[in-house]
Amino acid sequence: MAAKRKIPVKTRNPDLIRGVGKYSRSKMYHKRGLWAIKAKNGGVFPRHDPQPKAPAAAEKPPKFYPADDVKKPLLNKRKPKPTKLRASITPGTVLILLAGRFMGKRVVFLKQLSSGLLLVTGPFKINGVPLRRVNQSYVIATSTKIDITGVNVDKFDDKYFTKEVLKKNNKGEGQFFEAEKEDKKKLPEDKKEDQKAVDASLIKSIEGVPDLKAYLAARFSLKSGMKPHELVF
Amino acid sequence: MPFKRYVEIGRVALVNYGKDYGKLVVIVDVVDQNRALVDAPDMVRGQMNFKRLTLTDITIDIPRVPKKKTLIEAMEKDDVKTKWENSSWGRKLIVQKRRASLNDFDRFKLMLAKIKRAGVVRQELAKLKKENSS
Protein backbone atom coordinates (compact mmCIF):
# COMPACT_ATOMS: atom_id res chain seq x y z
CA MET A 1 0.00 0.00 0.00
CA ALA A 2 1.23 3.53 -0.77
CA ALA A 3 2.08 5.87 2.09
CA LYS A 4 -1.04 7.00 4.04
CA ARG A 5 -1.72 10.74 4.08
CA LYS A 6 -2.04 12.42 7.46
CA ILE A 7 -5.23 14.27 6.40
CA PRO A 8 -7.48 12.30 4.00
CA VAL A 9 -8.13 14.26 0.80
CA LYS A 10 -11.64 15.59 0.26
CA THR A 11 -13.19 13.78 -2.73
CA ARG A 12 -13.43 15.83 -5.87
CA ASN A 13 -16.61 13.97 -6.86
CA PRO A 14 -19.56 15.05 -4.71
CA ASP A 15 -22.45 12.59 -4.27
CA LEU A 16 -25.72 13.41 -5.98
CA ILE A 17 -27.31 10.49 -4.16
CA ARG A 18 -25.47 7.75 -2.28
CA GLY A 19 -23.78 5.69 -4.96
CA VAL A 20 -24.07 8.24 -7.78
CA GLY A 21 -21.35 10.81 -8.28
CA LYS A 22 -21.71 14.12 -10.01
CA TYR A 23 -18.89 13.59 -12.53
CA SER A 24 -18.32 10.80 -15.05
CA ARG A 25 -15.19 8.66 -15.30
CA SER A 26 -13.67 10.78 -18.06
CA LYS A 27 -14.44 14.02 -16.21
CA MET A 28 -12.88 12.64 -13.03
CA TYR A 29 -9.79 11.54 -15.00
CA HIS A 30 -9.39 15.12 -16.07
CA LYS A 31 -10.16 16.56 -12.62
CA ARG A 32 -7.59 14.39 -10.87
CA GLY A 33 -4.94 15.59 -13.27
CA LEU A 34 -3.86 12.09 -14.32
CA TRP A 35 -3.24 13.57 -17.80
CA ALA A 36 -0.71 15.99 -16.26
CA ILE A 37 1.09 13.24 -14.32
CA LYS A 38 1.27 11.16 -17.50
CA ALA A 39 2.54 14.12 -19.52
CA LYS A 40 5.28 14.71 -16.98
CA ASN A 41 6.28 11.07 -17.20
CA GLY A 42 6.33 10.78 -21.02
CA GLY A 43 2.86 9.40 -21.73
CA VAL A 44 3.01 6.55 -19.23
CA PHE A 45 1.80 6.48 -15.68
CA PRO A 46 4.86 6.48 -13.37
CA ARG A 47 5.68 3.09 -11.95
CA HIS A 48 7.75 2.49 -8.89
CA ASP A 49 9.57 -0.83 -8.69
CA PRO A 50 9.44 -2.42 -5.27
CA GLN A 51 12.41 -1.23 -3.23
CA PRO A 52 14.83 -4.00 -2.27
CA LYS A 53 14.10 -5.04 1.26
CA ALA A 54 16.91 -4.96 3.79
CA PRO A 55 17.97 -8.53 4.66
CA ALA A 56 16.11 -9.62 7.82
CA ALA A 57 18.29 -10.83 10.69
CA ALA A 58 18.26 -14.62 11.06
CA GLU A 59 15.68 -15.54 13.74
CA LYS A 60 16.83 -17.97 16.37
CA PRO A 61 14.31 -20.64 17.40
CA PRO A 62 12.83 -19.84 20.85
CA LYS A 63 14.45 -21.51 23.84
CA PHE A 64 11.16 -22.12 25.65
CA TYR A 65 7.80 -23.35 24.39
CA PRO A 66 4.97 -23.07 27.00
CA ALA A 67 3.33 -26.40 27.86
CA ASP A 68 -0.28 -25.21 27.40
CA ASP A 69 -1.64 -22.69 24.97
CA VAL A 70 -2.65 -19.83 27.21
CA LYS A 71 -5.12 -17.40 25.60
CA LYS A 72 -4.17 -13.75 25.76
CA PRO A 73 -6.96 -11.57 27.17
CA LEU A 74 -8.63 -9.28 24.62
CA LEU A 75 -7.23 -5.80 24.28
CA ASN A 76 -9.22 -3.14 26.17
CA LYS A 77 -8.71 0.40 24.93
CA ARG A 78 -11.59 1.90 26.96
CA LYS A 79 -10.82 5.28 28.50
CA PRO A 80 -13.19 6.09 31.36
CA LYS A 81 -14.89 9.47 30.85
CA PRO A 82 -15.10 12.01 33.66
CA THR A 83 -18.36 11.81 35.60
CA LYS A 84 -21.07 13.86 33.94
CA LEU A 85 -22.04 16.74 36.19
CA ARG A 86 -25.77 17.29 36.61
CA ALA A 87 -26.98 20.42 34.82
CA SER A 88 -28.41 21.78 38.06
CA ILE A 89 -24.96 21.85 39.73
CA THR A 90 -22.94 24.92 38.74
CA PRO A 91 -20.15 26.67 40.68
CA GLY A 92 -21.79 28.55 43.54
CA THR A 93 -24.81 26.28 43.90
CA VAL A 94 -26.01 25.48 47.40
CA LEU A 95 -26.06 21.69 47.84
CA ILE A 96 -27.68 19.60 50.56
CA LEU A 97 -25.46 16.73 51.73
CA LEU A 98 -27.43 13.54 52.18
CA ALA A 99 -25.03 11.18 53.89
CA GLY A 100 -22.02 11.08 56.11
CA ARG A 101 -20.90 13.16 59.03
CA PHE A 102 -22.40 16.36 57.61
CA MET A 103 -25.73 14.85 56.61
CA GLY A 104 -28.36 17.55 56.08
CA LYS A 105 -25.88 20.42 55.93
CA ARG A 106 -26.23 23.00 53.24
CA VAL A 107 -22.88 23.68 51.57
CA VAL A 108 -21.51 25.69 48.66
CA PHE A 109 -20.27 23.87 45.56
CA LEU A 110 -16.90 25.09 44.23
CA LYS A 111 -15.82 22.86 41.38
CA GLN A 112 -15.71 19.33 40.05
CA LEU A 113 -12.35 17.61 40.52
CA SER A 114 -10.73 15.40 37.91
CA SER A 115 -11.86 12.24 39.72
CA GLY A 116 -15.49 13.34 39.30
CA LEU A 117 -16.01 14.21 42.97
CA LEU A 118 -17.37 17.62 43.88
CA LEU A 119 -15.29 20.09 45.91
CA VAL A 120 -17.48 21.79 48.50
CA THR A 121 -16.97 24.08 51.47
CA GLY A 122 -19.34 25.05 54.35
CA PRO A 123 -18.00 27.78 54.58
CA PHE A 124 -16.30 26.44 57.69
CA LYS A 125 -17.13 29.43 59.88
CA ILE A 126 -20.81 29.20 59.08
CA ASN A 127 -21.59 25.53 59.40
CA GLY A 128 -18.40 23.65 60.24
CA VAL A 129 -18.01 21.89 56.89
CA PRO A 130 -14.38 22.23 55.70
CA LEU A 131 -13.07 22.00 52.15
CA ARG A 132 -14.25 18.54 51.33
CA ARG A 133 -14.86 16.15 48.47
CA VAL A 134 -18.32 14.73 48.03
CA ASN A 135 -19.92 12.39 45.53
CA GLN A 136 -22.56 13.80 43.24
CA SER A 137 -24.96 10.97 44.07
CA TYR A 138 -25.16 11.93 47.73
CA VAL A 139 -26.20 15.48 47.11
CA ILE A 140 -29.38 17.42 46.35
CA ALA A 141 -28.79 20.51 44.25
CA THR A 142 -30.96 23.46 45.25
CA SER A 143 -31.67 26.29 42.89
CA THR A 144 -30.02 28.84 45.21
CA LYS A 145 -26.78 30.17 43.72
CA ILE A 146 -24.06 32.22 45.39
CA ASP A 147 -21.65 34.54 43.64
CA ILE A 148 -18.33 32.69 43.60
CA THR A 149 -16.23 34.96 41.39
CA GLY A 150 -13.84 36.09 44.13
CA VAL A 151 -12.73 32.57 44.97
CA ASN A 152 -9.62 30.90 43.53
CA VAL A 153 -9.90 27.12 43.61
CA ASP A 154 -7.18 26.25 41.12
CA LYS A 155 -4.78 24.79 43.67
CA PHE A 156 -7.21 22.10 44.89
CA ASP A 157 -7.18 18.72 43.23
CA ASP A 158 -7.51 15.09 44.32
CA LYS A 159 -3.88 14.91 45.45
CA TYR A 160 -4.57 17.63 48.04
CA PHE A 161 -7.04 15.35 49.78
CA THR A 162 -5.07 12.10 49.93
CA LYS A 163 -4.26 10.73 53.38
CA GLU A 164 -0.66 11.00 54.51
CA VAL A 165 1.11 7.62 54.74
CA LEU A 166 2.26 7.01 58.35
CA LYS A 167 5.51 5.22 58.95
CA LYS A 168 5.25 2.21 61.25
CA ASN A 169 8.04 2.34 63.82
CA ASN A 170 6.84 1.13 67.21
CA LYS A 171 7.26 -2.55 67.88
CA GLY A 172 7.70 -2.71 71.65
CA GLU A 173 4.50 -3.63 73.49
CA GLY A 174 5.24 -1.44 76.48
CA GLN A 175 5.31 1.71 74.38
CA PHE A 176 2.24 0.66 72.41
CA PHE A 177 -0.48 2.57 74.28
CA GLU A 178 1.51 5.73 74.84
CA ALA A 179 2.42 5.92 71.19
CA GLU A 180 -1.26 5.62 70.18
CA LYS A 181 -2.15 8.63 72.25
CA GLU A 182 0.50 10.75 70.57
CA ASP A 183 -0.75 9.69 67.19
CA LYS A 184 -3.79 12.00 67.16
CA LYS A 185 -3.47 13.89 63.92
CA LYS A 186 -3.46 17.65 63.90
CA LEU A 187 -4.63 19.55 60.86
CA PRO A 188 -1.59 21.21 59.25
CA GLU A 189 -1.56 25.00 59.36
CA ASP A 190 -1.43 25.45 55.61
CA LYS A 191 -4.74 23.62 55.19
CA LYS A 192 -6.31 25.95 57.73
CA GLU A 193 -4.93 28.91 55.79
CA ASP A 194 -6.36 27.54 52.54
CA GLN A 195 -9.76 27.20 54.19
CA LYS A 196 -9.67 30.78 55.42
CA ALA A 197 -8.61 32.11 52.02
CA VAL A 198 -11.43 30.33 50.20
CA ASP A 199 -14.03 31.27 52.76
CA ALA A 200 -13.15 34.97 53.02
CA SER A 201 -14.70 36.14 49.77
CA LEU A 202 -17.48 33.55 50.00
CA ILE A 203 -18.64 34.84 53.37
CA LYS A 204 -18.73 38.37 51.99
CA SER A 205 -21.05 37.41 49.16
CA ILE A 206 -23.16 35.31 51.54
CA GLU A 207 -23.66 38.20 53.94
CA GLY A 208 -24.88 40.28 51.02
CA VAL A 209 -28.04 38.16 50.78
CA PRO A 210 -30.43 38.46 53.75
CA ASP A 211 -31.03 35.24 55.74
CA LEU A 212 -28.57 33.25 53.60
CA LYS A 213 -26.08 32.89 56.44
CA ALA A 214 -28.70 31.45 58.78
CA TYR A 215 -29.90 29.22 55.93
CA LEU A 216 -26.44 27.73 55.46
CA ALA A 217 -26.00 27.30 59.20
CA ALA A 218 -29.22 25.30 59.53
CA ARG A 219 -29.54 21.63 58.65
CA PHE A 220 -32.13 20.29 56.23
CA SER A 221 -34.60 17.70 57.46
CA LEU A 222 -37.84 16.25 56.19
CA LYS A 223 -40.77 17.34 58.32
CA SER A 224 -44.27 15.99 58.54
CA GLY A 225 -46.22 16.55 55.35
CA MET A 226 -43.16 17.17 53.13
CA LYS A 227 -43.21 14.91 50.12
CA PRO A 228 -39.72 14.75 48.54
CA HIS A 229 -41.06 13.93 45.09
CA GLU A 230 -43.26 17.03 45.17
CA LEU A 231 -40.75 19.41 46.73
CA VAL A 232 -39.05 21.96 44.54
CA PHE A 233 -35.45 22.37 45.59
CA MET B 1 -80.56 21.91 48.86
CA PRO B 2 -81.53 23.07 45.32
CA PHE B 3 -78.79 23.34 42.75
CA LYS B 4 -77.23 26.77 42.40
CA ARG B 5 -74.75 26.27 39.55
CA TYR B 6 -76.32 24.99 36.35
CA VAL B 7 -74.74 23.68 33.19
CA GLU B 8 -75.63 26.35 30.64
CA ILE B 9 -74.03 27.98 27.67
CA GLY B 10 -71.59 30.47 29.06
CA ARG B 11 -70.94 28.66 32.35
CA VAL B 12 -67.27 28.86 33.30
CA ALA B 13 -65.89 25.60 34.66
CA LEU B 14 -62.60 24.34 36.04
CA VAL B 15 -61.08 21.23 34.49
CA ASN B 16 -60.28 18.77 37.28
CA TYR B 17 -58.84 15.80 35.36
CA GLY B 18 -56.77 15.18 32.29
CA LYS B 19 -54.40 17.03 30.04
CA ASP B 20 -55.98 20.43 30.70
CA TYR B 21 -56.05 20.04 34.48
CA GLY B 22 -56.49 23.35 36.27
CA LYS B 23 -57.69 25.36 33.29
CA LEU B 24 -60.73 27.59 33.26
CA VAL B 25 -62.98 26.72 30.31
CA VAL B 26 -66.35 27.94 29.07
CA ILE B 27 -69.19 25.57 28.18
CA VAL B 28 -70.24 26.61 24.69
CA ASP B 29 -72.63 23.76 23.85
CA VAL B 30 -74.01 20.54 25.28
CA VAL B 31 -73.37 17.39 23.25
CA ASP B 32 -75.53 14.94 25.16
CA GLN B 33 -76.33 13.94 28.72
CA ASN B 34 -72.67 13.40 29.64
CA ARG B 35 -70.61 15.66 27.46
CA ALA B 36 -70.22 19.35 26.74
CA LEU B 37 -68.45 21.26 24.04
CA VAL B 38 -65.91 23.33 25.84
CA ASP B 39 -63.68 26.22 24.78
CA ALA B 40 -61.02 28.49 26.22
CA PRO B 41 -58.90 31.27 24.71
CA ASP B 42 -55.74 29.13 24.70
CA MET B 43 -57.09 25.76 23.64
CA VAL B 44 -58.76 24.13 20.67
CA ARG B 45 -62.52 23.80 21.18
CA GLY B 46 -63.36 20.20 22.08
CA GLN B 47 -65.71 17.92 23.94
CA MET B 48 -65.30 17.05 27.58
CA ASN B 49 -67.19 14.81 29.96
CA PHE B 50 -69.01 16.67 32.73
CA LYS B 51 -67.22 14.48 35.21
CA ARG B 52 -63.99 16.25 34.22
CA LEU B 53 -65.47 19.66 34.97
CA THR B 54 -66.26 21.48 38.18
CA LEU B 55 -68.73 24.32 37.69
CA THR B 56 -67.90 27.76 39.03
CA ASP B 57 -70.17 30.68 39.90
CA ILE B 58 -69.10 32.68 36.87
CA THR B 59 -71.15 32.85 33.68
CA ILE B 60 -70.64 34.90 30.56
CA ASP B 61 -73.10 36.03 27.92
CA ILE B 62 -72.38 34.22 24.65
CA PRO B 63 -74.43 32.78 21.80
CA ARG B 64 -74.28 28.99 21.27
CA VAL B 65 -70.82 27.98 19.92
CA PRO B 66 -69.36 31.43 19.40
CA LYS B 67 -66.35 32.19 17.25
CA LYS B 68 -63.06 32.31 19.15
CA LYS B 69 -62.90 36.10 18.74
CA THR B 70 -66.43 36.57 20.15
CA LEU B 71 -65.61 34.26 23.03
CA ILE B 72 -62.48 36.19 23.94
CA GLU B 73 -64.35 39.51 23.74
CA ALA B 74 -67.13 38.20 25.96
CA MET B 75 -64.61 36.92 28.51
CA GLU B 76 -62.88 40.29 28.56
CA LYS B 77 -66.19 42.12 28.94
CA ASP B 78 -67.30 40.02 31.88
CA ASP B 79 -63.83 40.13 33.44
CA VAL B 80 -63.67 36.39 34.02
CA LYS B 81 -60.00 36.45 34.96
CA THR B 82 -60.26 39.11 37.68
CA LYS B 83 -63.51 37.66 39.02
CA TRP B 84 -61.82 34.28 39.31
CA GLU B 85 -58.65 35.63 40.91
CA ASN B 86 -60.67 37.59 43.49
CA SER B 87 -62.94 34.71 44.41
CA SER B 88 -61.90 32.72 47.46
CA TRP B 89 -61.66 29.52 45.39
CA GLY B 90 -59.40 31.18 42.83
CA ARG B 91 -57.25 32.73 45.53
CA LYS B 92 -56.82 29.36 47.24
CA LEU B 93 -55.58 27.80 44.01
CA ILE B 94 -53.09 30.60 43.48
CA VAL B 95 -51.74 30.18 47.01
CA GLN B 96 -51.46 26.41 46.55
CA LYS B 97 -49.48 26.91 43.35
CA ARG B 98 -47.19 29.42 45.02
CA ARG B 99 -46.56 27.12 47.99
CA ALA B 100 -45.76 24.21 45.69
CA SER B 101 -43.21 26.24 43.75
CA LEU B 102 -41.28 27.39 46.82
CA ASN B 103 -37.53 26.87 46.75
CA ASP B 104 -35.70 25.27 49.73
CA PHE B 105 -34.35 28.74 50.61
CA ASP B 106 -37.86 30.21 50.29
CA ARG B 107 -39.21 27.62 52.69
CA PHE B 108 -36.50 28.58 55.17
CA LYS B 109 -37.34 32.28 54.87
CA LEU B 110 -41.03 31.40 55.29
CA MET B 111 -40.23 29.55 58.50
CA LEU B 112 -38.35 32.56 59.88
CA ALA B 113 -41.26 34.85 58.96
CA LYS B 114 -43.77 32.56 60.67
CA ILE B 115 -41.69 32.44 63.84
CA LYS B 116 -41.35 36.23 63.82
CA ARG B 117 -45.07 36.76 63.36
CA ALA B 118 -45.88 34.28 66.10
CA GLY B 119 -43.47 36.14 68.39
CA VAL B 120 -45.18 39.47 67.75
CA VAL B 121 -48.64 37.97 68.31
CA ARG B 122 -47.54 36.38 71.57
CA GLN B 123 -46.11 39.66 72.80
CA GLU B 124 -49.38 41.48 72.12
CA LEU B 125 -51.33 38.71 73.80
CA ALA B 126 -49.08 38.90 76.85
CA LYS B 127 -49.64 42.67 76.98
CA LEU B 128 -53.41 42.26 76.79
CA LYS B 129 -53.38 39.56 79.47
CA LYS B 130 -51.40 41.81 81.74
CA GLU B 131 -53.83 44.70 81.23
CA ASN B 132 -56.77 42.46 81.86
CA SER B 133 -55.43 40.92 85.04
CA SER B 134 -54.30 44.23 86.58
Side-chain angles (χ1 to χ4, degrees):
Chain A
M1 198 154 54
K4 258 191 179 162
R5 290 187 216 244
K6 286 205 179 95
I7 313 161
V9 184
K10 198 161 71 88
T11 69
R12 296 182 169 82
N13 194 359
D15 275 348
L16 294 175
I17 300 176
R18 184 183 90 111
V20 179
K22 185 172 172 188
Y23 298 109
S24 66
R25 284 183 93 88
S26 44
K27 280 262 176 349
M28 278 314 295
Y29 174 86
H30 178 75
K31 265 171 120 44
R32 283 170 66 195
L34 298 177
W35 53 273
I37 299 176
K38 277 195 179 173
K40 240 191 185 182
N41 206 35
V44 183
F45 203 76
R47 182 169 171 263
H48 297 284
D49 290 311
Q51 279 149 357
K53 273 202 226 160
E59 272 187 40
K60 286 202 309 199
K63 265 195 269 186
F64 172 71
Y65 291 95
D68 298 311
D69 273 334
V70 178
K71 279 205 175 141
K72 260 176 51 185
L74 290 173
L75 195 62
N76 183 7
K77 285 199 186 146
R78 178 173 175 265
K79 279 202 190 84
K81 285 197 273 201
T83 318
K84 191 165 174 204
L85 196 61
R86 263 183 271 161
S88 52
I89 304 181
T90 61
T93 312
V94 173
L95 307 175
I96 301 176
L97 300 180
L98 293 175
R101 181 160 173 224
F102 300 105
M103 164 157 61
K105 292 260 188 205
R106 296 165 170 124
V107 293
V108 180
F109 169 66
L110 298 174
K111 75 169 185 181
Q112 185 182 29
L113 302 170
S114 54
S115 64
L117 299 173
L118 313 179
L119 178 66
V120 293
T121 179
F124 186 70
K125 269 219 165 231
I126 297 183
N127 55 18
V129 179
L131 279 164
R132 202 166 202 264
R133 294 185 298 174
V134 104
N135 190 316
Q136 212 190 139
S137 310
Y138 298 96
V139 134
I140 294 180
T142 66
S143 46
T144 315
K145 312 257 187 236
I146 299 179
D147 183 20
I148 209 178
T149 47
V151 182
N152 185 355
V153 271
D154 294 335
K155 67 179 285 204
F156 303 114
D157 59 346
D158 290 296
K159 273 206 290 278
Y160 181 90
F161 292 100
T162 50
K163 287 206 177 99
E164 254 107 67
V165 180
L166 288 172
K167 277 187 271 187
K168 290 189 264 186
N169 43 23
N170 49 352
K171 289 213 172 163
E173 272 200 30
Q175 300 172 318
F176 200 78
F177 294 106
E178 290 156 29
E180 285 237 29
K181 278 195 205 149
E182 285 177 41
D183 239 51
K184 190 173 176 177
K185 287 166 230 158
K186 281 214 176 107
L187 199 60
E189 276 303 314
D190 55 337
K191 293 222 172 168
K192 291 189 187 169
E193 290 302 317
D194 290 335
Q195 181 76 52
K196 282 195 201 141
V198 168
D199 288 352
S201 50
L202 259 185
I203 291 182
K204 248 194 271 162
S205 22
I206 289 172
E207 286 176 347
V209 182
D211 292 331
L212 191 57
K213 197 160 176 217
Y215 173 63
L216 290 176
R219 282 209 203 218
F220 172 82
S221 72
L222 275 183
K223 311 259 184 359
S224 177
M226 288 172 112
K227 298 175 196 163
H229 67 294
E230 285 180 359
L231 286 178
V232 168
F233 283 101
Chain B
M1 254 342 223
F3 289 101
K4 288 216 187 77
R5 300 171 183 163
Y6 292 95
V7 168
E8 51 193 326
I9 295 180
R11 173 67 64 184
V12 173
L14 186 70
V15 180
N16 59 25
Y17 181 90
K19 192 168 66 92
D20 302 307
Y21 180 84
K23 271 206 205 146
L24 275 183
V25 293
V26 179
I27 297 177
V28 296
D29 198 1
V30 171
V31 175
D32 60 14
Q33 197 200 346
N34 296 319
R35 289 177 295 159
L37 192 62
V38 128
D39 203 355
D42 59 341
M43 72 178 246
V44 178
R45 190 201 306 149
Q47 59 89 29
M48 238 186 222
N49 195 315
F50 286 120
K51 293 188 176 177
R52 290 197 176 194
L53 300 171
T54 326
L55 304 179
T56 68
D57 287 328
I58 310 171
T59 45
I60 60 177
D61 186 18
I62 48 168
R64 188 183 74 95
V65 194
K67 287 204 170 37
K68 206 50 160 247
K69 200 168 68 153
T70 341
L71 177 70
I72 294 178
E73 279 171 8
M75 287 182 93
E76 291 286 312
K77 188 162 147 298
D78 278 322
D79 245 350
V80 168
K81 195 153 185 268
T82 35
K83 271 197 208 154
W84 176 246
E85 283 168 6
N86 294 338
S87 72
S88 58
W89 184 0
R91 275 184 284 137
K92 263 191 280 173
L93 286 189
I94 291 172
V95 168
Q96 278 174 14
K97 260 198 209 112
R98 180 77 185 99
R99 288 212 182 119
S101 71
L102 282 180
N103 197 345
D104 189 44
F105 187 27
D106 292 335
R107 267 176 263 132
F108 181 79
K109 285 190 271 187
L110 182 71
M111 176 192 70
L112 293 181
K114 278 190 183 172
I115 292 173
K116 203 170 183 192
R117 179 176 70 171
V120 171
V121 166
R122 221 172 275 141
Q123 267 190 339
E124 282 302 313
L125 183 64
K127 243 189 266 171
L128 287 175
K129 275 199 192 157
K130 200 166 171 201
E131 281 173 26
N132 230 10
S133 63
S134 61

